Amino acid sequence: MRDLHRPAQHVHVVGAGTMGGDIAAWCALRGLTVTLQDQNAERLAPAFARAAGLFAERLKDPLRARDALDRIIPDVAGDGVGRADVIIEAIFENLEAKQQLFKHLETKARPDALLATNTSSIPLEKIGAALADPSRLVGLHFFNPVPRMMLVEIVSGADTLASLVPQAAAFTRQIDKLPLPVKSAPGFLVNRILAPYLMEAMRCVDEGIAPETVDEAALAFGMPVGPIELADTVGLDICLAVGKMLDPDANSPKRLTELIAAGNLGRKTKRGFYDWSSGKAAKGPAGSVPDGLTDRLIRPLLDEAQAAMAEHIVADADLVDAGAIFGTGFAPFTGGPLHYLASRGEFVPPSGQR
């Protein structure tokens, strides 16, 4: 195992899509050398363009921005794997593809390198089953958009070596993110509590309530962004996949399936529930919010937060609340969903907590 007191210097990211490319850019912004791997140079190009935009925005100085961009090295062949301190897989959500990739990475990586997956939905035990040593695998689950979302879930599976969790957390803090240790379970913590909230919002749209009205109901509660706009931002295909993973028997919202079938996946395709052609959601007037709509939207999130706590997905109630605030944007002034429920007499923290 790598020395916790020795910061990582080289990160290798496999997958140059939105998540992988932005993880690579963020690591380079924080001063690390990054090798970014994908199948060909054409797949790498959009990631480098986004990175250049991020560096120009954050660093202001063209010379510093150029230096940051120079820290990202295109690596179609994957030569960086053997030199990296941290290896992050960020390819598409397909179990077989991830298993085959990790079988290869395991043979090339240094014995002390951190092997991490950015999966948002596949249990680590299934991915790790392909490894000769499944105990090496840990989850580093970043959130979209990476530059704005500070939380990273540190996911440990049944086989994960316990000492890897503080190692992964140390790396997360090194790149100025907030680590949240969670158990490997469907949806981990954040997607588990977020998906039912988003699905309920979309069912409201199916019933004829305007997306703008649904979003306004959540904003009135104190959410920084409405659930429909958030779903568009996350990606409607991702929302559907996570929803199916959490509740395979549930009927998916009708409008959601129609939009996906038409190739309208939200912000990344310029159209979802909203038109994103300008880079922002084009919204009409919200109108008046029906009585009870806010409570209807928030209730599924509150219920899942309690269930996650009862199942020990995280260590304590404070971490559930922190994950909800930093991962879902749950109204910060409430203190988080469990603190909010406790203030209403609907939740009693386990003995010894709070």
Side-chain angles (χ1 to χ4, degrees):
M1 188 181 76
R2 193 168 54 81
D3 183 358
L4 281 178
H5 300 291
R6 182 170 65 84
Q9 296 179 310
H10 181 175
V11 177
H12 184 82
V13 179
V14 186
T18 300
M19 291 302 298
D22 289 359
I23 291 168
W26 184 261
C27 290
L29 183 67
R30 306 322 302 164
L32 282 76
T33 297
V34 182
T35 40
L36 179 58
Q37 181 181 356
D38 212 312
Q39 293 175 345
N40 53 54
E42 289 74 23
R43 289 177 179 265
L44 293 171
F48 277 83
R50 287 196 312 277
L54 174 67
F55 300 154
E57 175 192 342
R58 294 295 180 97
L59 297 174
K60 309 299 182 188
D61 181 344
L63 291 178
R64 292 179 65 205
R66 187 192 66 187
D67 288 345
L69 198 59
D70 286 345
R71 287 194 288 271
I72 310 179
I73 303 164
D75 186 14
V76 172
D79 295 329
V81 173
R83 303 190 301 273
D85 299 303
V86 178
I87 300 166
I88 302 173
E89 169 273 311
I91 67 172
F92 57 101
E93 288 288 89
N94 178 277
L95 175 59
E96 185 177 343
K98 289 179 187 288
Q99 287 178 331
Q100 290 300 316
L101 175 60
F102 273 107
K103 282 176 70 174
H104 172 74
L105 293 175
E106 185 182 29
T107 65
K108 301 293 185 183
R110 295 189 339 232
D112 63 338
L114 192 69
L115 280 180
T117 174
N118 182 56
T119 182
S120 60
S121 60
I122 302 174
L124 260 67
E125 294 82 0
K126 291 185 177 181
I127 300 173
L131 295 175
D133 181 7
S135 72
R136 289 194 67 180
L137 185 65
V138 69
L140 283 174
H141 181 217
F142 291 76
F143 294 90
N144 185 28
V146 173
R148 294 213 310 267
M149 299 296 285
M150 299 312 297
L151 194 73
V152 176
E153 288 178 316
I154 311 296
V155 187
S156 55
D159 302 314
T160 303
L161 197 65
S163 57
L164 293 185
V165 174
Q167 185 179 342
F171 167 72
T172 302
R173 285 189 287 268
Q174 181 187 343
I175 59 171
D176 293 332
K177 296 289 186 185
L178 179 67
L180 177 69
V182 300
K183 287 184 180 178
S184 178
F188 311 137
L189 174 69
V190 172
N191 280 342
R192 173 175 177 164
I193 65 177
L194 181 62
Y197 163 67
L198 297 183
M199 292 297 165
E200 190 65 28
M202 294 183 215
R203 290 189 182 98
C204 290
V205 174
D206 283 352
E207 293 171 14
I209 303 174
E212 291 88 348
T213 305
V214 174
D215 279 349
E216 183 60 32
L219 295 173
F221 179 76
M223 298 296 208
V225 62
I228 302 299
E229 182 177 346
L230 180 58
D232 266 358
T233 302
V234 169
L236 300 185
D237 52 335
I238 302 297
C239 293
L240 180 63
V242 173
K244 284 288 190 186
M245 179 262 303
L246 290 171
D247 191 353
D249 298 326
N251 291 324
S252 300
K254 183 171 181 288
R255 183 62 178 148
L256 172 65
T257 56
E258 290 173 348
L259 287 167
I260 293 172
N264 297 322
L265 308 181
R267 184 176 184 173
K268 60 188 174 185
T269 61
K270 306 297 185 186
R271 185 173 293 276
F273 282 91
Y274 295 115
D275 185 328
W276 292 83
S277 300
S278 68
K280 295 182 178 180
K283 294 188 177 186
S288 59
V289 175
D291 290 343
L293 179 57
T294 297
D295 287 341
R296 175 183 171 182
L297 290 174
I298 300 300
R299 179 51 59 179
L301 192 157
L302 300 176
D303 290 344
E304 283 301 325
Q306 290 190 88
M309 180 67 236
E311 294 170 25
H312 306 290
I313 300 301
V314 295
D316 58 43
D318 285 336
L319 288 177
V320 173
D321 283 341
I325 290 171
F326 289 102
T328 76
F330 190 86
F333 73 91
T334 66
L338 297 186
H339 191 275
Y340 173 73
L341 286 170
S343 72
R344 293 160 58 103
E346 296 182 46
F347 173 72
V348 178
S351 178
Q353 294 188 22
R354 299 216 171 117

